[in-house]
Amino acid sequence: MKLPNVLTLCLGLLPLAAAAADVRETPCKTTEECQQQAYRIRGVITQDATSALAKAQDTFYWFGRINMASTVMLLEEGIIPARLARPIAEGVQYSIMQAREPGGRRPSDVMQVERIISDKAGADATLIHSGRSRQDMGATVRAMRLRRAVLDSAEALLATRALLIDIASKHTETFVPAYTNGVQAQPVSYGHYLMAFADSFARDAQRLRELYARVNLSPMGTAVLANSSWPLNRQRLAELLGFDGLVVNSYDSGQVISFDVPLEAAGIMSSVAIRIGAMLQDIHTQYHQSRPWLLLDDTQTYTSSAMPQKLNPGVVMTARAKASDVVASTQLMLLRAHNITPGMTDYKAAFEPSKTFVWGVEMLNQFNGVMKALRIDGKRSLEELNGDWTTSMELAETLQRLHQVPFRVGHHFATVVVNHAKANNWLPHQFPYAEGVKLYAESAQKYGQPLAKLPLDEATFKATLSPESMVRTRVGIGGPQPAEVLRMIGLARDTLGRDRAWLAERNNKLLEAEARLNNAFARHLAN
């Protein structure tokens, strides 16, 4: 039976604020308009929920769904007499619908909602509270709100991964320096760099999928912590509310699971934030240079009020600060759960005031805005590579690979080449081949090698010192060579597709459960 229109909750989608900013100066006419313009040029997003759906499905909404599910289950089990089905269902329906009217009440306390129902349907309506408590209802609401936050976070992470993969596919032959210990180390492609982070975020997506199996378990029907004398059908309640199973132990369901599962979820978002922050730091560090190879579209920066030459990367700074907020918010949850006896309120629902997931989604949206605004100057990055000796290790490897020169001999040769070049202020492409021949003879002699002649001709010697050549000649799984990066991009797209399918399936299951509860409840309204 189709649910009557009066029971349908209209959850209009609210547009998310854009992450990027437009600095074109237009006069603002009101304080609010001026503030919004300031937010835009600094990349600020201010949301109070992980999605429009999460905002609409607040505590009051879920109390309504629990009341509907309790009514259905208690009538099916014969705990509530059939003769009371319609008046009680009408009372529950009224409590939901009155909230949509001007002046309607939307309380977040169980007893206040019950009062709205009983004022309409009489004291018999309080029978829906048979065998349940504020404790298991609260635990169930927290589980349902957390699962939405987890799914919304998974969706935001999908968008970030897709964006990184798309950008990487355009930069498999954009050669850039990679750093270790804060020092230029070796050349890679920017696509190779981005795919490293995209793959790490794919692991976070896997963690969220595994977490969801622990999040989407129902505490409902366990009363305070020791069940009740009523033979409640917990499996039916779980089915009607979209859960995949039960938190079996009744003490665990209301008092213990609120510790570990939300902390696990927050830890995943904190892990994401730390790597988002690392990427933004890389961008910001480049931005420090007078001639950076990572730039932002001019429309995504804002000018200094006093120094006209400055184009401040507000979107980068704000997103990086938001990443720090996410990491810090996790500590709030840890501290509220630390050193406290089970059953206290401190740690329960701590994920909501901590805003870990709200800020996590904002952070990902802001980061996406940064990446969309990013402009990569491949010529400048190649110039940066050619300005240092990031290919020196390749000199030793080439000698070993092509001519069986012991690695330590080749490494010593590469070292003296670099030292000699720096002493003479020579860049790799400027290094005289004749000097290389001389230094090789000295290196070979130092290690007692009979062959003193440099076995590389001038063309090979020069090619070995080329960053572009070094990247292209890499072999092996996972390397920066363009063909291998393209292969990894293909695999990442396949994984992304499977993860999208998983998310769609979970959302569809929740919609199916919603329809199942609507139809079951509507049958009792029609009696």
Side-chain angles (χ1 to χ4, degrees), residues 256-318:
V256 178
I257 198 170
S258 296
F259 280 105
D260 64 308
V261 169
L263 284 172
E264 180 185 2
I268 295 171
M269 290 308 296
S270 182
S271 174
V272 172
I274 286 170
R275 274 164 289 122
I276 290 287
M279 292 188 72
L280 291 168
Q281 282 284 68
D282 270 352
I283 294 170
H284 211 193
T285 299
Q286 270 294 312
Y287 218 83
H288 291 175
Q289 298 189 23
S290 58
R291 295 179 59 237
W293 53 266
L294 288 178
L295 298 160
L296 293 172
D297 187 309
D298 285 350
T299 63
Q300 311 307 313
T301 60
Y302 66 94
T303 58
S304 164
S305 63
M307 296 163 282
Q309 85 283 2
K310 290 189 69 183
L311 292 175
N312 295 317
V315 289
V316 175
M317 295 184 293
T318 307

Side-chain angles (χ1 to χ4, degrees), residues 274-433:
I274 286 170
R275 274 164 289 122
I276 290 287
M279 292 188 72
L280 291 168
Q281 282 284 68
D282 270 352
I283 294 170
H284 211 193
T285 299
Q286 270 294 312
Y287 218 83
H288 291 175
Q289 298 189 23
S290 58
R291 295 179 59 237
W293 53 266
L294 288 178
L295 298 160
L296 293 172
D297 187 309
D298 285 350
T299 63
Q300 311 307 313
T301 60
Y302 66 94
T303 58
S304 164
S305 63
M307 296 163 282
Q309 85 283 2
K310 290 189 69 183
L311 292 175
N312 295 317
V315 289
V316 175
M317 295 184 293
T318 307
R320 189 166 56 82
K322 187 64 70 177
S324 297
D325 289 342
V326 173
V327 176
S329 71
T330 307
Q331 303 311 305
L332 184 154
M333 294 178 62
L334 284 168
L335 290 171
R336 288 184 64 164
H338 170 68
N339 201 26
I340 189 170
T341 57
M344 300 299 289
T345 59
D346 306 49
Y347 61 92
K348 295 179 179 180
F351 65 87
E352 294 194 274
S354 75
K355 291 195 171 184
T356 298
F357 304 100
V358 175
W359 287 347
V361 171
E362 285 189 5
M363 169 193 70
L364 289 166
N365 288 337
Q366 288 177 333
F367 175 73
N368 293 351
V370 171
M371 296 308 296
K372 288 175 182 177
L374 208 59
R375 300 294 177 263
I376 299 102
D377 186 341
K379 290 182 179 179
R380 174 68 188 95
S381 64
L382 189 58
E383 178 187 319
E384 185 82 0
L385 281 167
N386 285 319
D388 205 343
W389 283 82
T390 53
T391 59
S392 59
M393 191 180 92
E394 177 64 7
L395 196 54
E397 287 196 353
T398 300
L399 286 167
Q400 179 185 358
R401 188 178 68 254
L402 298 183
H403 299 284
Q404 294 74 54
V405 174
F407 178 78
R408 195 50 58 195
V409 174
H411 187 274
H412 178 76
F413 169 58
T415 301
V416 296
V417 165
V418 172
N419 291 340
H420 194 58
K422 289 185 175 180
N424 288 278
N425 202 28
W426 289 330
L427 297 178
H429 69 278
Q430 297 171 331
F431 194 89
Y433 177 69

Side-chain angles (χ1 to χ4, degrees), residues 66-104:
I66 290 172
N67 286 332
M68 290 169 65
S70 293
T71 302
V72 170
M73 183 275 293
L74 292 169
L75 284 165
E76 290 176 349
E77 298 298 316
I79 296 172
I80 292 179
R83 62 183 174 78
L84 295 178
R86 182 162 185 165
I88 290 178
E90 287 178 345
V92 171
Q93 173 190 270
Y94 170 77
S95 72
I96 295 169
M97 299 310 300
Q98 61 81 34
R100 297 177 57 194
E101 301 299 323

